[in-house]
Amino acid sequence: MLDKMTPNQRLMLAVAMSVIFFVAYTAIFPPAEPENLEANKKIEQSIALKQDSSTQVKASSGASSTVEQTTGHSISEVEKYGTSDSNTILTVTNKDFILKIDTLGRISSKELLQAKFNTKEGGHAQLIPSTGMKPLFIRFLDEVLNNESKTVAYTANIEKIALDGTPQKVTLTQKLSSLVVTKELTFYDDGHYDAKISLSQDKRYFVYLGQRPKVNETEQMMTVTGAMVYTDDELVTIIEDGDAEGRKSFTGVELISAFDQYSASIMYGFAKDASIIVERDRDDNPVVYFDALQTMTFNGYVGQKEYRVLESINPVLTNAIEYGWFTFASKPLFQLLSWLHGIFGNWGWSIIALTIMIRAVLYPLTYKGMVSMQKIKEISPKIKELQAKYKSDPQRMNAAVMDMYKKHNANPLGGCLPMLLQIPVFFAIYRVLLNAVELQGAPWMLWITDLSRMDDFYILPLLMGASMYFQQRLTPNNFTDPMQEKVFKYLPVIFTFFFLTFPSGLVLYWFVNNLFSIAQQFIVNQQFKNAKEAEIAVHDHAKKIEKKENMEKKDD
């Protein structure tokens, strides 16, 4: 079957099968449903602090440790705080977010106030999950000291900070029976913070990155979530949720990140010899922490992965934006898209402009592929005659077919190679549009008010499907099996069905790309039509001259 398809049809089949696989996988193994906060409200108010501090790591020198849940610790002195506001000792606010620190000295909440980041229910996005490990949590190696640290609340020298453009500092203090823990935190308007942790005595302890954000998980399709470690040799290690295995240690680390599609909890600014450790929890999700010094300084950020924000804080943070295998192409493509946005001021028109530029760059390749397919189409009847003539002698048939290709200057791979070279570009732009938080809440025009979400009216996917159908009608094919032809006729319908729930920005790219493919295919078809008509005209003219000459000779 495949050997009878044109290269363009092979490409469409490959992409279709990929889409079917990923969507089917998502349907069979859906992401975990978010916690039912209403149902658990009463439980959280009484035992949330136990849950938050329950996932611990048992470690010993020279032995590998595993993450396990420890229970039964007495936390009666701080249990009354739960997850309500009474558990908060510091609130940091500005126009974009509200951040809270709880009695265990952790970042317990970060609420985004910008409407464009709202959940699909219309509420503010909450980047810190209500349960699980939280950023800045400290665990001591000494079990007695560790148990005590969970029963003694931190205090803050101030209760509220209102950021107004000037960095502001707060000191958190935890007074244990034999040790004083001090956390000096400086907060900035852009969402990042500086941290300095000091112990009155040298004790071995670990600081946790915290669990990844879980915002709009049911809307996240075919995206990677988990943890990332980026080292100074520019090596990115990603441990996806559900895939964490054993214990891994890293040094020379530039940043660590626990991330979902659009947001992340990040820590960076480590010393070159700092030891970063990644373990797994009971669900095989990654748990990231680092072995801290008596006095430890580092930086952190909890927020959306906006390229310009991360770059303004520290250029190394832009590496926290995950594009997968196609980072080498996706990163410059996003920078180009961002530059176009600076010109147009609209992400929708920027996507269209980027599509035009990509099509212009790939034009020679696509043109060559289309021309090759037209040549194959023209000689396909002769090829079929040869195949029928030599069907009992495959070797002779192949030799005759190759001679036919050579005679007509047609390359059977001429259409395939250009299409294959375009696949990395397609997947690169796909990853850009899928992961770009900048598209959240970004309107295009008319009914498209958020390019990161599906078209609620299904107009754009239907237009995309119609354009694919029309493109298919223009594209040459050499089907011999009626069933194959029927299958490919339904491909636009299949694609339309899957694209109904895709982000509008991605559908817009595909639709515009189809329009340019249609235009280019029409031009190529017209060129061949004109060439054929010219060839026929020349042939007819030659016949007329020959006929005239014959008549003149006859008269003589």
Side-chain angles (χ1 to χ4, degrees), residues 3 7 30 34 39 95 98 122 134 153 172 186 237 240 255 292 332 362 410 436 446 474 484 501 504 523:
D3 60 339
K95 61 183 178 62
I98 299 174
K134 292 176 170 56
L172 311 178
T186 304
T237 301
E240 295 186 38
L255 70 85
L362 295 177
L446 302 176
L474 286 176
Q484 295 174 22
T501 57
S504 299
I523 291 171

Side-chain angles (χ1 to χ4, degrees), residues 454-508:
M454 61 177 279
D455 179 356
D456 292 329
F457 299 100
Y458 306 117
I459 297 173
L460 206 53
L462 290 174
L463 289 174
M464 186 281 301
S467 67
M468 180 173 277
Y469 173 76
F470 191 67
Q471 178 189 357
Q472 196 180 72
R473 293 292 301 271
L474 286 176
T475 304
N477 67 73
N478 58 345
F479 285 120
T480 56
D481 185 352
M483 182 56 68
Q484 295 174 22
E485 191 170 3
K486 286 181 180 179
V487 169
F488 271 90
K489 278 184 178 179
Y490 282 106
L491 266 183
V493 178
I494 296 171
F495 266 68
T496 302
F497 176 76
F498 288 127
F499 271 71
L500 289 176
T501 57
F502 274 30
S504 299
L506 185 61
V507 182
L508 176 62

Side-chain angles (χ1 to χ4, degrees), residues 370-497:
M370 289 176 177
V371 168
S372 180
M373 284 189 288
Q374 281 286 2
K375 289 181 178 179
I376 297 294
K377 179 187 176 182
E378 283 191 345
I379 64 173
S380 60
K382 296 179 180 179
I383 296 294
K384 290 174 185 176
E385 289 177 9
L386 291 174
Q387 290 171 339
K389 184 177 180 180
Y390 299 112
K391 62 180 179 180
S392 59
D393 190 350
Q395 193 170 2
R396 192 173 178 186
M397 179 185 70
N398 289 335
V401 168
M402 292 309 296
D403 285 340
M404 181 67 71
Y405 285 142
K406 189 174 181 181
K407 179 181 177 182
H408 292 272
N409 197 27
N411 184 355
L413 298 178
C416 185
L417 184 59
M419 294 298 176
L420 288 175
L421 292 175
Q422 292 178 62
I423 291 178
V425 177
F426 163 73
F427 280 106
I429 193 67
Y430 167 80
R431 294 295 299 188
V432 166
L433 298 179
L434 198 64
N435 287 359
V437 66
E438 287 79 1
L439 298 186
Q440 273 195 296
W444 175 39
M445 62 181 230
L446 302 176
W447 73 97
I448 302 297
T449 58
D450 189 340
L451 288 164
S452 71
R453 291 183 176 173
M454 61 177 279
D455 179 356
D456 292 329
F457 299 100
Y458 306 117
I459 297 173
L460 206 53
L462 290 174
L463 289 174
M464 186 281 301
S467 67
M468 180 173 277
Y469 173 76
F470 191 67
Q471 178 189 357
Q472 196 180 72
R473 293 292 301 271
L474 286 176
T475 304
N477 67 73
N478 58 345
F479 285 120
T480 56
D481 185 352
M483 182 56 68
Q484 295 174 22
E485 191 170 3
K486 286 181 180 179
V487 169
F488 271 90
K489 278 184 178 179
Y490 282 106
L491 266 183
V493 178
I494 296 171
F495 266 68
T496 302
F497 176 76

Side-chain angles (χ1 to χ4, degrees), residues 154 171-174 180-184 196-200:
Y154 278 80
T171 301
L172 311 178
T173 306
Q174 185 185 44
V180 176
V181 181
T182 303
K183 294 181 180 180
E184 296 177 17
K196 179 181 179 182
I197 301 178
S198 304
L199 306 186
S200 59

Side-chain angles (χ1 to χ4, degrees), residues 308 335-347 349-350 353-354 357:
R308 289 182 179 177
Q335 291 172 337
L336 178 57
L337 180 64
S338 185
W339 176 76
L340 290 169
H341 179 259
I343 297 174
F344 294 99
N346 180 289
W347 287 105
W349 293 114
S350 302
L354 178 64
M357 295 177 74

Side-chain angles (χ1 to χ4, degrees), residues 39 519 526:
Q526 195 63 37

